Amino acid sequence: MKKILNETWKVIRYNIGNLLLFEAGYRVATFFLVMQLVRFLVDFSLKQQGFSYLTPENYKEFLQYPLSIVFFALVLFVILIFYFIEVAALLYGFVYSNQEKKLYVGDFLILGIKKTFSFLRYSKVSWLMCAACSAPFLAAYFLIREISYIKILEFTARQIYKEIKSPILLYGFLGGVLVVSFLFVFALPYCILKKEKSWQGFLSGIRLLKKRWKKILAGFFLLHFCMLCLIAVTYGFVMVILTAGVFFLKPESMKISSIFAYSEYVNMALGIYAGGVQLIGSIAFVYVIYAKFHAQPREKTIFSKKLEQFSWYSKLGRRKIARIFTMAVILIEGIYFGYLVINHDNTLSHLATDTEITAHRGGAWKAPENTLSALQYTIDSGADYAEIDIQETKDGELILLHDDSFKRTAGVKKNVWDMTLKEVEKLDAGASFHKKFRGEKIPEFTDVLKFCKGKLDLNIEIKYNGKNKGIVNKVVRAIKENHFEEHCVVTSMNYQFLKQIKKIAPEIRTGYIMTMTYGGVQGIEAADFFSVKHTYVDEQFITQAHALGKEVHVWTVNYKGDAKRMLDVGADNIITDDPIMVRKVQNQESGSSTGYMELLKYAFRF
């Protein structure tokens, strides 16, 4: 096992400088090309469907649209081509390293392109299976990191998870995919170097693995442990340096916000870096195993040798050309990163606002959610608003309730549309929170309006469950009867509800609740503001909303660093379970300073 790992390091080390340069340049370039392609195709598909914005309501419809399916297949095809070029470049690069031949960045790229298209001509369609099946395992580090960074992927993953009734089956399926993908990794040398068909290469890879499977598996696990340690150490080092730069170079008012913004760039880069480390290590390991049992033919003259016939190349020399190319790649990527940083700082300086604070679910931090006790806590905490959730009972009465069922808050496994108001009045909404709230009732909406009048403004969320189509008229009627129009806003995830409100009561301010931000918000006219999950809010979105004369409310912010970040980017209202914490962050004395260790905690999200 030790010998295999030593030989793996040997084939990596021989051309390591240009290998890493190729990987960095290739991965960054292809990542941003794919990102721009996805953005263009998603925007185009949305436009063709008449959607200005991607929301949970239209997401399934968007995915099922024929043009979206075609675009998804196109993006997948492009990704597979890029992936196959990279794998071919690495495999042939290790062949040359094993033969102690020096390669430059251009050699890796030309080898990858040339060998990929040579394989495509020979294998035709079967290459798809080899590429697609080996990719999940070899891209695991990259996908895990980037799904959390690329919000549309994160949203998609969450939607899929919600649709699956048994998480165990999902995890089992993913585990099975990784096992099959791992086996296909051993097929790559046979498919690319020997040009075997995918299935034949798969069987050859299985036979290769079976020869010394215990040592191979042990070595593979040890290799991945070492790679994970390398990634973790690199991440920690970069964050320590980044935090030091922010601590010494940024003004106090921008330190925390800058740490959050720059750490997002670092996390994006970490995904690219982690994916490159995994791919290099895994391909090198598999190639070493393959080379032990298969004689390697001497490779022909590499691309850089052919360039020596040109006078300009001979005058400059290989080393000077390599240095020039290296500096060009570093300069281009440095300029792009600098643009992101400068754009962030310029945007941030124009986003100052007077941020209001809303207590989530009526003040659910210190009292049972959506109860009069919670609202009293909100009043005592000094919050500007309390957010409450409105549902309709079986007999058409309005009550405060977040879920469709009473199970979580009152311990009764019944849906709201299956119980009358009299039955609801018998439920205990406080016992499950704390014994001191035993006997707390689920309040009616009109009682809440009377309780809060003159003391607290309300963010009234109308829940949609498919059985309450007439709820909007009832909510508006109650607001008007209690003369609460100037002291509330009405929000919903159902855009049709907002359109109804604007039709019958245009004076009431409305907010569209969004779990993600993607697309153009200029077409959402029935909303006076957007209520968005805070992880999807950045300076650009707030600038866009403000340019349209609309506010941005963010939810649910319960962490001090997130509160500071949302205040700095200019959120108009912060919805939180802990309004006192947010108020303390907001009222922080200008003379107070943020220590280095505190900044480091924000960087690592502790």
Side-chain angles (χ1 to χ4, degrees), residues 101-125:
K101 290 184 177 180
K102 281 292 181 183
L103 294 175
Y104 289 89
V105 176
D107 297 324
F108 280 100
L109 183 60
I110 297 301
L111 278 171
I113 294 173
K114 182 179 177 181
K115 299 301 182 180
T116 294
F117 284 96
S118 173
F119 178 73
L120 295 186
R121 286 198 302 270
Y122 178 80
S123 298
K124 297 181 181 178
V125 179

Side-chain angles (χ1 to χ4, degrees), residues 513-563:
I513 302 175
M514 309 159 73
T515 53
M516 69 177 297
T517 58
Y518 193 95
V521 294
Q522 58 272 14
I524 307 179
E525 298 177 353
D528 297 304
F529 63 90
F530 306 115
S531 185
V532 187
K533 188 176 181 180
H534 74 90
T535 53
Y536 292 94
V537 173
D538 56 19
E539 298 92 329
Q540 286 72 29
F541 177 76
I542 290 181
T543 299
Q544 182 185 14
H546 286 180
L548 297 170
K550 298 181 186 292
E551 294 181 355
V552 176
H553 297 199
V554 294
W555 52 271
T556 303
V557 182
N558 292 329
Y559 171 60
K560 183 181 177 182
D562 291 331

